[in-house]
Amino acid sequence: MTVCRTRQGEVRGRTSPDGVTSFLGIPYAAPPFGALRFRAPAPPEPWSGVRDATAHGPTAPHAPYAPPFDALIPDEVVPGEECLNLGVWSPAPEPGAGLPVMVWVHGGAFTNGSGSASAYDGSAFARDGVVCVTLNYRLGADGFLRLPGRPDNRGLLDQIAALRWVRDNIASFGGDPGRVTVFGESAGAMSIGALLTAGAARGLFHRAILQSGACHHFLRPPSAELVAARLAEKLGIEPTPEAFDGVPLEELLPAQAQLRAEVGADPDPARWGEAALNMMPFEPVLEDLALPGPDSGVDLLIGGNREEYRLFLVPTERLAVFPESSLRALTAAYGLDPAGALAVYRDARPDATPGELLDAVATDWFYRIPAVRLAESVPGSYLYEFAWRSPRFGGTLGACHALELPFVFDRLHDPSYAPLLGSDPPQALADAVHGAWVSFATTGRPGWQAYDRTHRATMTFTGDGSGPVEDPRARERLLWEGVR
């Protein structure tokens, strides 16, 4: 057992046979319940003696994923109120080691997920000389519902509180608080996109990796108020923090899940505002889209997966039956002229079905184009595309959303990833992807040319002939000029 000191007290971790020491379930803020519910995170209480940190702590309350995603996406539920906690993996847990630090922000559409899942075990990063931190933050209504008189974006405030904990304590675990890289996927990456322009987060991290998410997913205040009113209506209460505080979690969590399903089934902008297209009723609440610009002071690695949207089309069997009329309507809702835009997408995919074209268009709208715009806003950024295709679902799942995660964490044989990966995923690709992430966190360079408007170099991870590509699918990218 190894003991490290934090500002709140000492913690005891566990060292594995390969020399990595983990410290789990460390509180970085007080339990966000009772008088602290729907408020900014408060400092954790100090403790005396040595606190055992050999098991994950509670996760933020959330309902399970709806089928079929509950069987595909790693999730973890540990009950308890002390849910604002984090884990640390270190190869040298003593002051003075000065190792680079990576802080993971999990995804899950702002309603699911946790940093405690075995899928996000940080051992491989520690093995390669990085102190890895994973964290839990408030989700759903507790984290992101807009309520009068209470701070917006409490989930983001939790993430900032965790980053402050890292600044104040990580040196005790062998990390360098002046070399912190945040990395996240999906809602985690979108969170980082918001943190890039948040004054309270400035200086807390120095590099950032955004996987399948950028600065584009948010709700303006009027839309957030529509969501709050609809959730209150479902629960039969007023949209006030006091009223929500009186709703038991066993009622609130199913209502949140139903609300998300309603947004997906009836994406009416008059009813949901921005949530209608984003299909996520709980998101950061911001006045408008903000890009960090050239003076951000943060090095960026940004990208996504080539066929992200197939995760939402293939397991639900929508890929094969999606109608042409709906494809045209969604393309128009995204701000494109359906006739001209779909002709360009079809030209590159002459045999594609409407569902396959929807995957291409929606992947661009949700993920690829926002990544390009963020890279354009911060000179010297690095761009990537993950293009290895899963053999699952007869090969139709493709390079879908979340598929890069086991390669990033170098955990190809974690059972929780098997439903997405299938059998015998390529270890050489994990070596390349994980290695690029470690290199970026360590040196600021992942191993290929930086992105610029002239060459638009994009590293393409295929598992067979991976390498940088200049401006992939340029004709399709140009369609989105001037579109949000």
Side-chain angles (χ1 to χ4, degrees):
M1 296 292 183
T2 302
V3 174
C4 284
R5 181 179 297 278
T6 76
R7 291 193 177 186
Q8 287 72 44
E10 292 183 316
V11 291
R12 180 188 299 110
R14 185 190 304 276
T15 302
S16 65
D18 59 2
V20 171
T21 304
S22 59
F23 303 83
L24 309 177
I26 305 173
Y28 67 82
F33 297 98
L36 296 179
R37 195 170 184 205
F38 303 120
R39 297 190 182 275
E45 291 291 330
W47 57 85
S48 59
V50 179
R51 180 185 177 111
D52 186 74
T54 58
H56 286 292
T59 56
H62 60 279
Y65 283 108
F69 304 107
D70 57 341
L72 292 171
I73 303 176
D75 203 357
E76 191 88 12
V77 175
V78 179
E81 291 197 346
E82 205 172 52
C83 60
L84 299 185
N85 62 72
L86 51 78
V88 180
W89 286 260
S90 176
E94 66 271 343
L99 299 173
V101 180
M102 297 184 73
V103 180
W104 173 249
V105 185
H106 70 80
F110 299 102
T111 56
N112 287 86
S114 78
S116 308
S118 67
Y120 306 141
D121 183 292
S123 295
F125 286 105
R127 175 200 69 200
D128 294 331
V130 173
V131 177
C132 184
V133 179
T134 69
L135 61 96
N136 295 329
Y137 58 94
R138 278 174 284 183
L139 304 168
D142 280 76
F144 294 94
L145 193 69
R146 185 161 221 237
L147 294 169
R150 300 296 167 88
D152 288 334
N153 304 322
R154 297 170 295 276
L156 295 183
L157 297 179
D158 294 343
Q159 295 168 19
I160 292 171
L163 289 168
R164 287 178 177 147
W165 185 96
V166 169
R167 177 196 63 193
D168 296 341
N169 296 285
I170 205 64
S172 296
F173 298 83
D176 180 353
R179 279 202 295 168
V180 174
T181 299
V182 291
F183 68 127
E185 182 262 352
S186 195
M190 296 167 195
S191 295
I192 294 170
L195 295 181
L196 286 170
T197 57
R202 192 167 184 86
L204 294 177
F205 57 94
H206 315 91
R207 296 174 181 138
I209 304 173
L210 297 91
Q211 304 168 210
S212 305
C215 304
H216 57 304
H217 271 299
F218 64 94
L219 298 180
R220 292 182 174 87
S223 299
E225 288 159 9
L226 287 174
V227 170
R230 177 59 184 144
L231 182 58
E233 179 185 334
K234 288 181 70 66
L235 293 166
I237 61 173
E238 293 296 314
T240 66
E242 295 79 13
F244 276 103
D245 198 33
V247 179
L249 284 174
E250 55 266 27
E251 294 180 21
L252 177 62
L253 297 182
Q256 289 181 179
Q258 292 165 13
L259 193 74
R260 186 179 174 195
E262 287 180 10
V263 174
D266 179 26
D268 180 1
R271 191 179 190 195
W272 303 109
E274 287 88 8
L277 284 182
N278 298 350
M279 292 190 291
M280 292 190 294
F282 303 102
E283 301 179 70
V285 180
L286 305 172
E287 291 291 341
D288 210 344
L289 174 66
L291 293 170
D295 299 324
S296 68
V298 178
D299 302 328
L300 298 180
L301 170 57
I302 318 154
N305 301 349
R306 180 170 292 177
E307 297 161 304
E308 301 260 13
Y309 211 69
R310 287 188 178 231
L311 178 65
F312 312 106
L313 295 174
V314 172
T316 59
E317 301 182 347
R318 295 173 63 208
L319 185 77
V321 299
F322 200 82
E324 177 78 18
S325 58
S326 296
L327 170 64
R328 296 178 67 85
L330 266 177
T331 302
Y334 291 153
L336 298 178
D337 168 57
L342 291 177
V344 171
Y345 278 91
R346 277 199 172 94
D347 188 55
R349 305 164 185 80
D351 300 322
T353 66
E356 291 166 339
L357 290 174
L358 171 63
D359 163 56
V361 174
T363 293
D364 277 359
W365 187 83
F366 274 97
Y367 305 105
R368 187 170 77 100
I369 299 305
V372 167
R373 288 177 178 165
L374 179 55
E376 290 175 344
S377 81
V378 182
S381 297
Y382 295 90
L383 205 62
Y384 78 89
E385 181 177 65
F386 184 85
W388 180 77
R389 307 187 82 243
S390 169
R392 293 280 288 116
F393 295 89
T396 61
L397 194 59
C400 71
H401 192 62
L403 188 63
E404 88 287 2
L405 289 172
F407 297 88
V408 167
F409 281 86
D410 194 8
R411 292 187 64 78
L412 299 186
H413 302 294
D414 188 308
S416 63
Y417 284 128
L420 283 182
L421 281 179
S423 60
D424 199 27
Q427 180 61 47
L429 182 57
D431 295 342
V433 174
H434 176 79
W437 267 231
V438 169
S439 177
F440 180 75
T442 304
T443 69
R445 298 180 300 275
W448 61 90
Q449 180 183 352
Y451 186 90
D452 61 52
R453 290 175 182 263
T454 301
H455 300 291
R456 300 181 181 272
T458 304
M459 180 64 176
T460 305
F461 291 106
T462 63
D464 180 17
S466 297
V469 175
E470 187 169 309
D471 201 5
R473 299 182 298 288
R475 288 184 65 207
E476 294 162 14
R477 175 184 59 79
L478 290 170
L479 291 170
W480 298 92
E481 294 289 337
V483 178
R484 172 187 176 260

